[in-house]
Structure formats: C-alpha cells, structure tokens
Amino acid sequence: MEHASGAALFNKGCGMRSKSFVLALSTGLLLVGVTSGAFGCMREPAAGTQAAAERGEYLVSVLACDDCHSPKALLNGVPVPDMARRLSGHPSDSPLPAVPRGVLGPDQWAFLGNSHMTAWAGPWGISFAANLTPHDDGLGLWTEEQFVNSLKTGTHLGVGRPVLPPMPWPAYKNMSDEELKAIFAFLKTLPPVANVVPQPISPELAQGLPR
C-alpha cells in the first residue's frame, strides 16, 4: 500500500461511537490500538478485539506483508525484516539506487527492487511501500472503512490515486471484509514508527533519475 498520514495512536477501548462499533464488538472485530498518555484511556481491550488482532497478525504473516513493507537487515548475508522498524515502509533516509539503462522493457526485466525490497521500478515509474504503522506518517488517521475500501478498489484511501505494483491488491480484494478488518486491527497494535514514505515517481520523472 502507498503512503498515508494519520494520528499516531488509536485509543484502546475508549468508547463506541456508533452502532457499527457495537456490532463489531459482538462479532469480534472491534479495532483497537496502543494508547498514549495524552488520551488517558487505559481500559483493557475486549476479548473479541484481541482475537481479531491475533487473526490479523496471522494473515499479515501468511500474506508476506513484511517482504515489501518492512525495511531489511542482513542476517548471515541474507536480507530479513528489521523488526525494530516492522511494516514502516520504504525508509525515508535510504538513497534511491540508479536504474541501469536498458534493463526495463519488453523482453527485458519487468521490474527492479532496492535492497530493502521497499522501492520498485517498472513501467509504472517508481513505487514505494507504505508505512503501515499507527504513526502520523502511517495509518494513524485511516479508518477501518478507508483501509478496506483501499484494498477492495486499489485506490489510495479508497477514493484517490491508484495503488501501484507490486502491491497485489487484485488478489487481496478477494479477501472478506472481516479478514481485512482483522488485518487493520493488528496494524493498529504495532509500535508507531516515524517515517515519511516518498510519493510515487512517474515514468517520465523516473527516466530522468541518474542511471
């Protein structure tokens, strides 16, 4: 998914604002996250909420979200997700490597990825994996509905610009709303990571990058 902005934290068990929240609680889908001291609400999450987040954690693992959305560290020469920055997207301080001339195109390579596997160059230009943590720089202000609609429609916030490759939203759109809500519930429990992910680079501008 692409870069989004939002509030750093979502209050844990801090009230139900609508009947949909009541329904979510009864079906085990109420979303919660980590609470900051500024909000002062420290109630324990409902059992159904915790179950949804645990289900979401499982789905995130089998869908291999860490492969693109987590920066990498080297372990015995092999890139593995850096769990201290888990799902925080393309590192804003990571230099963008040059794209070799003539590598991309018909009968050539379809796309190239950087060493973090968070930036991808292809016919669509250059795309960057989004920060999925509940920080201001990530999904903090996203609602559950916006998250679900984004993956169902392949558009930013469910209404904006297209979600670019290699994000496999055409496959994820076939997931149930309950599964996508569970993923969102889990993402809200992650430690917030400050990291402003760059905006996508168009093919025209990408061609002007150093080669």
Side-chain angles (χ1 to χ4, degrees):
M1 295 183 65
E2 296 171 88
H3 170 66
S5 62
L9 302 166
F10 183 89
N11 279 348
K12 183 183 292 185
C14 290
M16 303 175 195
R17 297 187 215 174
S18 68
K19 292 181 180 179
S20 63
F21 277 88
V22 177
L23 175 61
L25 178 60
S26 67
T27 56
L29 296 175
L30 179 63
L31 301 185
V32 296
V34 186
T35 305
S36 71
F39 290 98
C41 181
M42 299 299 292
R43 290 195 293 271
E44 288 298 316
T49 300
Q50 182 174 350
E54 290 174 355
R55 172 67 173 166
E57 183 176 16
Y58 165 75
L59 291 170
V60 164
S61 68
V62 299
L63 293 172
C65 300
D66 285 297
D67 284 3
C68 290
H69 286 276
S70 294
K72 306 301 182 294
L74 290 179
L75 179 63
N76 298 323
V78 177
V80 297
D82 180 356
M83 301 309 282
R85 298 183 289 171
R86 188 181 186 191
L87 298 174
S88 61
H90 178 74
S92 58
D93 59 353
S94 177
L96 196 64
V99 179
R101 186 179 298 276
V103 170
L104 299 173
D107 299 321
Q108 303 294 323
W109 290 99
F111 54 84
L112 297 174
N114 70 336
S115 60
H116 285 289
M117 299 171 63
T118 55
W120 299 87
W124 59 86
I126 300 177
S127 54
F128 303 93
N131 184 344
L132 301 182
T133 74
H135 189 272
D136 286 7
D137 302 334
L139 295 181
L141 278 182
W142 282 56
T143 66
E144 177 186 76
E145 181 180 14
Q146 289 170 332
F147 181 79
V148 171
N149 287 343
S150 182
L151 289 176
K152 290 287 188 179
T153 65
T155 57
H156 184 67
L157 289 168
V159 294
R161 54 182 166 77
V163 173
L164 298 174
M167 177 64 185
W169 73 265
Y172 293 171
K173 73 177 181 180
N174 298 315
M175 299 176 69
S176 69
D177 286 3
E178 288 72 22
E179 288 172 323
L180 294 175
K181 290 175 182 179
I183 290 173
F184 188 68
F186 168 65
L187 296 176
K188 286 292 188 176
T189 71
L190 293 171
V193 178
N195 179 49
V196 179
V197 173
Q199 295 295 314
I201 299 174
S202 69
E204 294 78 15
L205 292 178
Q207 293 175 4
L209 292 174
R211 295 179 182 268

